Amino acid sequence: MFGRIAAGLVHDLSHPIQNIGNSARLIARDDVPLEARETFRNTVDRELQTIKRFLDDLRNIAKPRPVERFSMDANASVAEIVEPMRAEGERNGIAIEARYAPEPLVIHGDRFALGRVYRNLITNAIQATAQGGKVTIATARSGDYAEISVTDTGSGIPPERLAAIFDDFVTTKRRGLGLGLAISKRIVEQLDGTITVTSEVGRGTAFTLRFPIRDDGTAEAAAS
């Protein structure tokens, strides 16, 4: 287990650290234009945030961080993450499709924490999908619950791995530490929600989040 964790740490940290090192060296060169230096500085900032989130994930395993609860529209919170991630899909040759419920879906949630969950699920879906495939994010009302689903047309997850997919240090990727889904599950459950997964090898995977809808007159405030 220690060897696996060490290998996962090296894998998940080596890429952002390498990007920071390369960008820092280019910033220091006198022949690099000012516009390019600004791009490299932005790269350093972005990768430092990536490392910070990773370290936060490790800390959260040992001592889960409490989430805050506010009335919020699930449609708006999902759109905040989906729209910036369309560019990542395009870079990988994958179409990102979003379908939103026609009415506000007011839940009690933590916008930042749920944003991490959505981002993790969409990133996993993109990584599991070959060029020319599609990732679909949809919101809908199902009775007294808001449902958010992330579906891909990727490689799928073997049945024997599904049972442990949300456990700490379990991953379907060849490398990496495997904390994203475990932490996502904890966040969702802290907000009185559930997360489930269905998958078929060779056809794709679907993750579904369900949260109680709060019909308490706060829809207008949450949507704003």
Side-chain angles (χ1 to χ4, degrees), residues 31-214:
D31 59 338
V32 174
L34 289 178
E35 290 184 1
R37 292 187 187 187
E38 184 63 26
T39 299
F40 296 137
R41 276 193 289 268
N42 291 336
T43 298
V44 170
D45 289 340
R46 185 186 68 244
E47 298 295 13
L48 285 174
Q49 288 301 312
T50 298
I51 293 173
K52 182 179 182 298
R53 285 195 298 268
F54 178 81
L55 296 177
D56 286 343
D57 286 345
L58 289 177
R59 191 178 298 114
N60 201 35
I61 287 293
K63 185 178 181 181
R65 176 180 303 173
V67 296
E68 299 181 352
R69 295 169 182 262
F70 299 98
S71 292
M72 55 183 286
D73 178 18
N75 288 334
S77 69
V78 171
E80 283 181 350
I81 304 302
V82 170
E83 296 311 313
M85 295 196 73
R86 289 186 186 277
E88 183 176 347
E90 291 176 359
R91 286 194 297 270
N92 289 274
I94 297 165
I96 305 292
E97 179 180 332
R99 298 196 298 265
Y100 301 109
E103 74 280 358
L105 300 175
V106 180
I107 63 175
H108 286 179
D110 182 315
R111 188 178 296 271
F112 175 77
L114 283 177
R116 292 184 66 192
V117 174
Y118 304 149
R119 188 180 295 106
N120 179 61
L121 294 178
I122 296 170
T123 298
N124 286 351
I126 291 173
Q127 293 176 350
T129 304
Q131 286 190 358
K134 182 170 68 173
V135 174
T136 303
I137 302 92
T139 67
R141 178 164 186 155
S142 178
D144 295 328
Y145 290 87
E147 289 190 347
I148 301 107
S149 62
V150 178
T151 306
D152 64 60
T153 59
S155 55
I157 303 170
E160 63 272 15
R161 295 191 179 183
L162 277 179
I165 196 70
F166 295 110
D167 293 347
D168 296 340
F169 307 115
V170 170
T171 177
T172 59
K173 303 172 187 176
R174 287 181 297 177
R175 301 175 66 186
L177 201 52
L179 294 178
L181 289 177
I183 291 174
S184 294
K185 184 173 186 289
R186 292 184 186 186
I187 290 172
V188 170
E189 291 179 345
Q190 282 179 288
L191 295 170
D192 301 324
T194 62
I195 179 170
T196 57
V197 57
T198 58
S199 187
E200 185 175 346
V201 175
R203 295 182 63 89
T205 301
F207 286 88
T208 302
L209 313 177
R210 299 182 85 233
F211 298 97
I213 286 181
R214 309 296 182 177

